[in-house]
Amino acid sequence: MSQRPRLPSSRPRSRPRSAALAPGAAPLDLALQGGGSHGAFTWGVLDRLLQDETLPISAVSGTSAGALNAAVMACGWAEGGRTGARAALAAFWRDVAGQPACFGPVPVPGGVDLALFNLNQNPVYQWWMAVSRMFAPQQFNPLGLDPLREIVQRHVQPAALQASPLRVFVTATQVRTGQPRIFDNRAQDGRPADLDIPALLASACLPQLFRPVVIEGEAYWDGGYSGNPALWPLIYRSAALDLLLVRINALSRPAVPDTAEEIADRVNEITFNAGLLGELRAIAFVQKLVGEGKLDAGAYKNLRLHMVADDAGLAPLGASSKFNTQWPFLQRLHALGLAAAGRWLAAHRSDVGVRGSLDIRSTFLGQGA
């Protein structure tokens, strides 16, 4: 069991393999949030980043859909470099669209307006949500059917994942303790690589919809409950000082929820952001102490943080849309991610290796900083 450290301060003991670092180029780590089908937004971001040959990517930490994106990208990169990674991601999400129940209930066609891809008024969605509140997955799905398993098996090859130049970390939540476990595609501290298909399914296992995934005798649920995504593996096991967070979950909402469904959705957003906010608070504390000269910058890792997000573009989408896997919807999300990454590259590509472009305190911590 990997335990979350109290303070993100130590440097990695040795420089890991990295993905085709250009001479003198600063490596970049990626942290990918989960969020069901909204992971197609992250697909768009990765698609754009992979087109920039001057941007070396060293390691990726992902949770749930972010973990799936990371693993598929790593396998594609192992077999065909950046081009292979882009093709692998596109093939994966096209396959997701062909299995409409892989993230939850089966949707019906929506429309061209992004808001119409929400499933709140979908009778199939409403029925499924009612069933999930009354029965456990072991009751309404006694055979343990999971369409996502078949998709992941088609697109993730464990041998390619472990051979990939990309270091990949995936977070799942141990049911018994509530603690995160980090699965790694590299051997670490005498332990063999343990990132495989069951680990990926564990990271994406919503307890209301699927049975827990049992690994080595322990049951696991979605990693979002303990780290969405976990940042500390990138701090302790990667040499990169630049870290790019791809955020797809809303930090704030303009209105106070006043229906049972809206309240449940907002509680889920807050819960799935809690682990990330805790780690960012610790990082901001280290940055402050290093900046004040109270900590040795040579002994403590002073990260340069960056972020790609599109709160305005994703604003029309509610939690129900995370179960929607219609191909037009996934394409719209991909386009939003592609554009968001393009804007970030235009504004901040020159900051990588020089300075951070994300102010943690003003963006995440607000008045409670």
Side-chain angles (χ1 to χ4, degrees), residues 12 24 37 47 65 85 135 137 141-142 150 158 177 186-187 192 195 197 202 212 221 249 262 285 293 305 309 327 335:
S37 63
D47 199 10
F135 301 100
N141 185 12
E150 298 178 4
T177 66
R186 298 276 193 276
L195 179 54
I197 289 173
W221 281 337
N249 290 324
E262 289 174 349
F285 182 62
L305 272 293
W327 181 237

Side-chain angles (χ1 to χ4, degrees), residues 6-19:
R6 290 173 294 175
L7 194 65
S9 57
S10 64
R11 292 183 179 276
R13 284 184 286 274
S14 61
R15 185 178 181 87
R17 287 180 288 172
S18 56

Side-chain angles (χ1 to χ4, degrees), residues 41-192:
F41 173 88
T42 302
W43 162 36
V45 173
L46 296 175
D47 199 10
R48 181 63 185 87
L49 296 179
L50 288 166
Q51 294 177 46
D52 186 346
E53 298 283 348
T54 71
L55 187 68
I57 301 171
S58 180
V60 189
S61 178
T63 294
S64 194
L68 300 176
N69 274 319
V72 170
M73 177 173 65
C75 288
W77 198 312
E79 297 175 353
R82 290 176 178 266
T83 301
R86 294 181 62 202
L89 285 166
F92 170 77
W93 284 101
R94 194 67 181 89
D95 204 357
V96 165
Q99 293 285 342
C102 64
F103 288 125
V106 180
V108 295
V112 296
D113 184 348
L114 197 62
L116 295 180
F117 286 107
N118 291 318
L119 302 178
N120 304 63
Q121 305 304 317
N122 182 327
V124 177
Y125 173 80
Q126 294 290 355
W127 171 82
W128 187 284
M129 290 297 101
V131 168
S132 68
R133 293 187 187 101
M134 293 186 293
F135 301 100
Q138 291 87 337
Q139 295 172 300
F140 67 73
N141 185 12
L143 298 179
L145 300 177
D146 185 358
L148 183 60
R149 181 187 298 113
E150 298 178 4
I151 295 175
V152 174
Q153 289 173 338
R154 285 195 289 269
H155 295 273
V156 175
Q157 301 76 40
L161 185 57
Q162 294 181 17
S164 177
L166 286 178
R167 184 82 177 265
V168 179
F169 307 104
V170 165
T171 306
T173 303
Q174 191 186 81
V175 177
R176 183 175 57 85
T177 66
Q179 294 296 310
R181 172 169 172 176
I182 303 300
F183 295 91
D184 193 337
N185 70 332
R186 298 276 193 276
Q188 176 73 22
D189 296 331
R191 297 189 301 271

Side-chain angles (χ1 to χ4, degrees), residues 299-325:
Y300 288 81
K301 196 170 183 180
N302 191 13
L303 289 174
R304 296 184 288 263
L305 272 293
H306 313 273
M307 183 175 71
V308 172
D310 186 1
D311 287 346
L314 297 176
L317 300 175
S320 67
S321 67
K322 293 181 179 180
F323 299 115
N324 193 330
T325 57

